[in-house]
Amino acid sequence: MVKLSLFCAAFLASSVAAFAPVSIPSRPAVGKLNAASAPEVDNIGNNVAVKNLLSKVESTRLLSKVAEAGLLSKAQESGISLTKLEPLLKLAAENKDVMILLEAAAPEALPILPKVVDLAPAALPLLAQAIKISPGTLQGAAAASIAAAGAAVYLIPDDSVLQVAGQTVLGATLGLVVPAASLVGSTVLSKIKA
């Protein structure tokens, strides 16, 4: 009986401890110090991060490289033109939720954009080829990717933790990420090319 009461007391103490506040050691606010030292706007009121990004685009001659790659003419040949993008922009402007998401994501996206500008010249030939892909091909790629994910999960044995981790990574990548990107891409391309 004593053992049962000790067990019950330990059980109650552990369940009560689960709801007790945990003291978290305070960390120095490094992010706040860095944010305070770097101004967000210049003396005219321009966002400094956007201004630096546009300067980088200008210095790398990104738009000239887009023109040299013939990206816009290839897009027009495949049925994509700037006038066909207008309905998508109007739809985004009318849908306030999209604008709220864009505004909320802007501060986090700004540090990533200089890396995109650095990688863009190398990606232009790939993008020029990707524009020529039909929406049906992208939908087929989504279906094939889901089938490949199923095959990977079925064919890779469950003998070790590493193999189960491989199944998980392949299943998530081929079964979720690639099909989602393919279906979003096919939807966007079908709306633009329509």
Side-chain angles (χ1 to χ4, degrees), residues 21-188:
V22 178
S23 64
I24 299 173
S26 63
R27 293 185 232 159
V30 175
K32 292 180 181 176
L33 292 175
N34 289 340
S37 64
E40 291 184 18
V41 294
D42 62 6
N43 56 0
I44 300 174
N46 297 323
N47 188 323
V48 173
V50 173
K51 187 176 179 182
N52 291 340
L53 176 69
L54 291 176
S55 297
K56 188 168 192 164
V57 167
E58 183 181 13
S59 67
T60 59
R61 298 179 19 96
L62 182 61
L63 297 178
S64 298
K65 291 177 182 175
V66 168
E68 290 168 4
L71 193 60
L72 294 176
S73 60
K74 289 178 183 176
Q76 196 166 14
E77 288 170 5
S78 66
I80 300 171
S81 66
L82 295 177
T83 56
K84 291 186 178 179
L85 292 176
E86 276 186 82
L88 291 175
L89 294 175
K90 286 179 183 176
L91 178 67
E94 291 169 359
N95 191 346
K96 301 299 179 194
D97 294 335
V98 173
M99 298 307 290
I100 290 170
L101 286 174
L102 288 174
E103 289 174 3
E108 288 80 20
L110 280 176
I112 299 170
L113 291 178
K115 299 291 182 194
V116 171
V117 171
D118 289 338
L119 296 174
L124 287 177
L126 181 64
L127 187 58
Q129 294 302 317
I131 286 177
K132 296 178 183 177
I133 297 174
S134 70
T137 304
L138 286 175
Q139 291 170 351
S145 179
I146 292 172
V153 170
Y154 179 75
L155 294 175
I156 297 174
D158 298 338
D159 295 339
S160 70
V161 174
L162 188 60
Q163 289 174 331
V164 172
Q167 284 180 343
T168 305
V169 169
L170 286 173
T173 304
L174 296 175
L176 183 65
V177 176
V178 172
S182 297
L183 292 175
V184 167
S186 76
T187 303
V188 170

